[in-house]
Amino acid sequence: MSASIATLTTLCPFFVWNAEFSMLLLWPRFGKDIMRIVKVREIGEFALIQTLKELLCHGNPSSGEMAFPLVIGIGDDAAAWHTTEATELATTDTLVEGVHFRHDFTTWEDLGWKALAVNLSDIAAMGGLPLHALVTLGLQPETDVGDVHALYRGMLSACQEYQCRIVGGDIVRSPVTFITIALMGIATGHALTRYGAQSGDVVAVTGPLGCAAGGLQSLLQGTALDGESGRHLHEAHSHPVPRIQAGNTLVQHGVQTAMDISDGLTADLSRLCANSGVGSVIYADRVPVDAFLKDAFPQDFLQLALNGGEDYELLFAGSEEIISEAVTRLGPSAAIIGRIVANHPGEVKVLDERGAAFPLERHGWDHFGDVSQISYNTFRIRPPNSLLGRIANSRLSFGMA
Amino acid sequence: MSASIATLTTLCPFFVWNAEFSMLLLWPRFGKDIMRIVKVREIGEFALIQTLKELLCHGNPSSGEMAFPLVIGIGDDAAAWHTTEATELATTDTLVEGVHFRHDFTTWEDLGWKALAVNLSDIAAMGGLPLHALVTLGLQPETDVGDVHALYRGMLSACQEYQCRIVGGDIVRSPVTFITIALMGIATGHALTRYGAQSGDVVAVTGPLGCAAGGLQSLLQGTALDGESGRHLHEAHSHPVPRIQAGNTLVQHGVQTAMDISDGLTADLSRLCANSGVGSVIYADRVPVDAFLKDAFPQDFLQLALNGGEDYELLFAGSEEIISEAVTRLGPSAAIIGRIVANHPGEVKVLDERGAAFPLERHGWDHFGDVSQISYNTFRIRPPNSLLGRIANSRLSFGMA
């Protein structure tokens, strides 16, 4: 399952801030009549998924009745179930033209790589190895066959790199191009989850953040980003590297809690914290940022690193001893960036090098909604409203007030 | 993998009948330059998938290197691989608004049922049991939350009926509504494939055909179909029943070759025959048709049964002894309807009760193309051309000359 459906487990406390969600809380009493008058854009992605999660909890057959008992269901990067010989994993992610990608920014071959990479990243975030992929393409009839082939070459390139195999799929006519991949894999030990972070734990990431967002921002703004920095940032956006090996390393070192950063550090850490019932503090100056991003965005690099997303580095938490060892093993790009605190579940506070609140200007992505309130030194997932006119055809929304 | 990607294995002999495909055959020599000027609609779904299959054969990592060896890849109803304890299955199918469904014909709850049922049918066609489903929704922001809930109630209803579980998914914004489900399962014994039919074998189906097509036709034509017949046909269209138990029965009786009928008996049998390198003869008067369809379509019921599709009955072949026993066990709706012949791989001849050629008026569904030639007493998959202006928002194309 994707990051988007994976983030709902304990978000209920946030959902009392607008009228639509107040209605949502009354749902069990008034049922379908209220839901019939509420639009998806009015409650946003996260509230929608929360209501679906409740439906699924009640309507799904019991896991105990299944041949292979489910151990991780909705609420993480991938689903996981035990067979007698392995813990198997399955995830799915979709890219839609005009929402997740634009053909003028992304070649078909890069699109193929990226479509598989975002799924591989979900397997990485469980500490797993990928095995088999099903590829569904929604295609416009006017699409060039050569472009479809380039898309597959991109996917096959990722298959070769990470030793997984495309075993089937579906091709359908559609007025908009979309690519949905379902990826199955196995855990290399215990599965990493978004739960279990505890007060006193430290928070770390596997590598530098913000480059993908920097690359996308320069494309959106038409900014000339030539030279090595430009190439590096555009490559980070168009050719993300799933951290399969890093995920395996976390499992080997006994890390239990991890997720991938697809929607931005603050947004994704807020989810991890909400799932674990804890809060967190990030030290902005410890967030790893590479020289290319600083070179291209001398003013904004930290905002991009904190809120950009799509780098697909892993975010993880645990005792200082375990995390320190893992970070050492992961190499110089990995870093401890903050700590878990007991209060304010789901809250992410960002502090600058003097310990003062660091102003957050941007925030993570909601597929249908908006963030109605922005607090300038903390991040929490809020009930969304009406961003749709303002999004810029990407997973990022820039320049929110 | 869906029926659509599953049908290509040995279709090459058919692909020499038009200019586009002649170019396609030269593809290895001229490569990307030729592909760049050919549109998906010009070569059609089957030729497109054939070229992708070649790409995948060369670009996929070797199955021997995988942790779980693949035993059935692209070219069947589902992919299958061996673990030490089971043969696992995975399939995916998509429904796109305006292509596979229309909201004025299908309620959201029926849509949810159907989206899962078409995937369950692929597992049934492998003789398997379903386990876990990943659900991807592409949603327009103006969609009512109540409708999304109804969609999930429909899926959960199928989950309860067939003991599978929704374990994750993805929800994305999209200008067109689509539902992609990836379904994983296990084989109950050997996996049923689309291969292995031999000259002298008989051909059978698990139940009556044509009702779903009759229901859809009445909806498309605005024909009043009231009373019990109307309800039955509309129900067959909107609430198809995957034949999980029947698939298991086939495995228990030693049947090896089977597929589900999603695109119409003649089109799907043509694929099964092409995959097995054989031809076939169907006796029109032996094709099971129920009284409701005869009542509503006294003239056309046989055309609907032969070419309609979407009933999701199983089509299977094998020695007369094995198939007769299986048909007896399946009950009075199942029937032997024809035989396999050695010549004309992929060809389906239909004979009437006097042994004369039965005129075929309609044919199966191609997602992008058209059938440029119709032969009136045989059916073979042909290189498609330009149907798009004529399709009627369904998997069926009626009234082709």
Side-chain angles (χ1 to χ4, degrees):
Chain A
M1 120 203 33
S2 78
S4 45
I5 213 168
T7 52
L8 336 161
T9 313
T10 57
L11 298 183
C12 259
F14 310 138
F15 289 150
V16 291
W17 285 330
N18 67 7
E20 291 85 357
F21 203 77
S22 299
M23 285 198 296
L24 210 60
L25 292 177
L26 299 174
W27 177 45
R29 184 174 304 170
F30 295 103
K32 300 178 199 173
D33 293 339
I34 281 183
M35 285 302 108
R36 200 171 295 285
I37 58 169
V38 179
K39 305 290 182 191
V40 165
R41 70 164 167 74
E42 290 171 325
I43 68 167
E45 179 184 5
F46 302 108
L48 172 64
I49 297 181
Q50 178 64 19
T51 67
L52 292 177
K53 187 165 175 278
E54 287 164 16
L55 262 181
L56 290 173
C57 287
H58 294 100
N60 257 325
S62 157
S63 181
E65 299 161 14
M66 316 291 296
F68 295 159
L70 193 69
V71 288
I72 300 173
I74 291 169
D76 222 301
D77 294 280
W81 56 86
H82 287 323
T83 68
T84 53
E85 64 178 324
T87 300
E88 299 191 17
L89 306 169
T91 184
T92 188
D93 253 319
T94 292
L95 303 181
V96 180
E97 181 183 358
V99 178
H100 303 100
F101 67 89
R102 284 167 46 170
H103 288 305
D104 52 344
F105 289 173
T106 307
T107 68
W108 283 86
E109 194 155 347
D110 281 341
L111 184 60
W113 170 280
K114 194 165 182 172
L116 198 49
V118 299
N119 281 282
L120 287 162
S121 181
D122 282 330
I123 296 294
M126 305 300 286
L129 292 173
L131 288 177
H132 302 124
L134 299 172
V135 177
T136 298
L137 294 185
L139 286 180
Q140 297 173 69
E142 291 304 313
T143 307
D144 288 340
V145 173
D147 290 336
V148 182
H149 287 179
L151 181 82
Y152 267 82
R153 283 197 302 276
M155 287 189 283
L156 286 170
S157 169
C159 282
Q160 290 286 351
E161 184 79 25
Y162 298 99
Q163 285 297 297
C164 60
R165 193 178 162 93
I166 297 172
V167 296
D170 195 12
I171 298 185
V172 296
R173 186 166 60 89
S174 167
V176 62
T177 303
F178 67 86
I179 308 164
T180 301
I181 295 182
L183 183 63
M184 290 144 277
I186 47 173
T188 56
H190 61 276
L192 300 167
T193 73
R194 297 180 174 194
Y195 303 85
Q198 295 179 356
S199 175
D201 283 355
V202 297
V203 176
V205 294
T206 52
L209 302 178
C211 287
L216 177 60
Q217 182 156 336
S218 84
L219 288 168
L220 287 170
Q221 295 176 341
T223 317
L225 265 188
D226 296 329
E228 199 175 355
S229 287
R231 280 193 300 276
H232 178 80
L233 300 187
H234 290 156
E235 176 86 356
H237 165 67
S238 63
H239 207 263
V241 176
R243 305 305 194 237
I244 296 286
Q245 184 53 54
N248 298 172
T249 299
L250 296 182
V251 171
Q252 288 159 18
H253 281 75
V255 176
Q256 301 285 336
T257 303
M259 67 184 291
D260 69 338
I261 306 175
S262 56
D263 292 342
L265 173 62
T266 48
D268 287 327
L269 179 55
S270 174
R271 288 161 195 168
L272 187 149
C273 287
N275 281 359
S276 298
V278 294
S280 59
V281 177
I282 293 296
Y283 309 108
D285 59 331
R286 295 195 198 169
V287 175
V289 181
D290 73 19
F292 299 111
L293 187 68
K294 287 182 183 164
D295 176 45
F297 293 94
Q299 305 299 320
D300 293 337
F301 64 86
L302 256 180
Q303 293 290 353
L304 289 165
L306 289 166
N307 305 288
E310 290 211 306
D311 287 307
Y312 297 100
E313 295 292 343
L314 302 182
L315 169 69
F316 53 105
S319 74
E320 187 155 8
E321 185 186 352
I322 285 177
I323 300 301
S324 296
E325 280 183 17
V327 163
T328 303
R329 171 71 178 277
L330 287 165
S333 298
I336 292 174
I337 60 170
R339 59 187 165 86
I340 299 292
V341 297
N343 298 328
H344 305 296
E347 188 174 87
V348 178
K349 255 191 191 171
V350 183
L351 302 180
D352 66 17
E353 67 279 10
R354 298 161 301 171
F358 185 88
L360 288 177
E361 290 170 0
R362 306 180 186 98
H363 60 86
W365 170 255
D366 180 296
H367 253 279
F368 298 101
D370 192 2
V371 171
S372 52
Q373 295 170 273
I374 301 287
S375 63
Y376 277 80
N377 62 343
T378 59
F379 180 88
R380 289 210 298 195
I381 296 169
R382 299 290 168 92
N385 269 319
S386 59
L387 175 60
L388 286 172
R390 301 168 68 185
I391 57 165
N393 294 321
S394 80
R395 271 196 160 140
L396 298 169
S397 46
F398 288 102
M400 302 293 301
Chain B
M1 119 203 31
S2 78
S4 46
I5 212 168
T7 53
L8 338 162
T9 312
T10 58
L11 298 182
C12 259
F14 311 138
F15 290 150
V16 291
W17 285 327
N18 67 4
E20 290 86 357
F21 203 76
S22 299
M23 287 198 295
L24 210 60
L25 292 178
L26 299 173
W27 177 46
R29 185 175 302 171
F30 296 102
K32 301 178 202 171
D33 293 338
I34 281 184
M35 286 302 107
R36 200 169 295 287
I37 59 170
V38 179
K39 306 290 182 193
V40 165
R41 70 166 167 73
E42 290 170 327
I43 68 168
E45 180 184 5
F46 301 108
L48 172 65
I49 297 181
Q50 178 65 18
T51 69
L52 293 176
K53 186 166 176 275
E54 286 164 17
L55 263 181
L56 290 173
C57 286
H58 294 100
N60 255 327
S62 157
S63 179
E65 298 161 15
M66 314 293 294
F68 295 159
L70 193 70
V71 288
I72 300 173
I74 291 169
D76 222 301
D77 295 280
W81 55 86
H82 287 324
T83 69
T84 54
E85 64 178 323
T87 299
E88 297 190 16
L89 306 168
T91 185
T92 187
D93 254 319
T94 291
L95 303 181
V96 180
E97 181 183 359
V99 178
H100 303 99
F101 67 88
R102 285 166 47 170
H103 288 305
D104 52 344
F105 289 173
T106 308
T107 67
W108 284 85
E109 193 155 348
D110 281 341
L111 184 60
W113 170 280
K114 194 165 182 172
L116 198 49
V118 299
N119 281 281
L120 288 162
S121 181
D122 282 330
I123 296 293
M126 305 301 285
L129 292 173
L131 288 178
H132 302 123
L134 299 172
V135 177
T136 298
L137 293 186
L139 286 180
Q140 298 174 68
E142 292 304 313
T143 306
D144 289 340
V145 173
D147 290 338
V148 182
H149 288 178
L151 182 83
Y152 268 81
R153 283 197 301 276
M155 288 189 283
L156 286 169
S157 168
C159 283
Q160 290 287 351
E161 183 78 25
Y162 299 99
Q163 285 295 297
C164 61
R165 194 178 162 94
I166 296 171
V167 297
D170 196 12
I171 298 185
V172 296
R173 185 167 60 90
S174 167
V176 62
T177 303
F178 65 86
I179 308 163
T180 301
I181 296 182
L183 183 62
M184 290 144 278
I186 47 172
T188 56
H190 60 277
L192 300 167
T193 74
R194 296 179 175 195
Y195 304 84
Q198 296 178 357
S199 174
D201 282 355
V202 297
V203 175
V205 294
T206 51
L209 302 179
C211 287
L216 177 60
Q217 182 156 335
S218 83
L219 289 168
L220 287 169
Q221 296 177 340
T223 317
L225 266 187
D226 295 330
E228 198 175 356
S229 287
R231 280 195 300 278
H232 178 80
L233 300 186
H234 291 158
E235 175 86 356
H237 165 68
S238 63
H239 206 264
V241 176
R243 306 304 193 235
I244 297 286
Q245 184 53 53
N248 297 172
T249 299
L250 297 182
V251 171
Q252 288 161 17
H253 280 76
V255 176
Q256 302 285 334
T257 303
M259 68 184 291
D260 69 338
I261 305 175
S262 56
D263 292 341
L265 173 63
T266 49
D268 288 326
L269 179 56
S270 175
R271 289 164 194 163
L272 187 149
C273 286
N275 281 0
S276 297
V278 294
S280 59
V281 176
I282 293 296
Y283 307 109
D285 57 334
R286 296 196 198 168
V287 175
V289 181
D290 71 20
F292 299 110
L293 189 67
K294 287 182 185 168
D295 176 46
F297 294 93
Q299 305 298 319
D300 293 336
F301 65 86
L302 257 179
Q303 294 290 353
L304 290 164
L306 288 166
N307 305 289
E310 291 210 305
D311 286 307
Y312 297 100
E313 294 293 342
L314 302 182
L315 169 68
F316 53 106
S319 74
E320 187 156 5
E321 186 187 350
I322 286 177
I323 301 301
S324 294
E325 279 183 19
V327 163
T328 302
R329 173 69 178 279
L330 287 164
S333 298
I336 292 175
I337 60 170
R339 60 189 164 84
I340 298 293
V341 297
N343 298 326
H344 307 297
E347 188 174 89
V348 178
K349 253 189 192 173
V350 183
L351 303 180
D352 68 16
E353 67 278 11
R354 296 160 304 172
F358 186 87
L360 288 178
E361 290 170 0
R362 307 181 185 97
H363 61 85
W365 170 255
D366 180 298
H367 253 282
F368 298 100
D370 192 2
V371 171
S372 52
Q373 296 169 275
I374 301 286
S375 63
Y376 276 80
N377 62 342
T378 59
F379 180 89
R380 291 210 298 196
I381 296 168
R382 301 289 168 90
N385 269 320
S386 57
L387 175 60
L388 286 172
R390 303 168 66 186
I391 57 165
N393 295 322
S394 82
R395 269 192 162 145
L396 297 169
S397 46
F398 287 104
M400 304 290 301

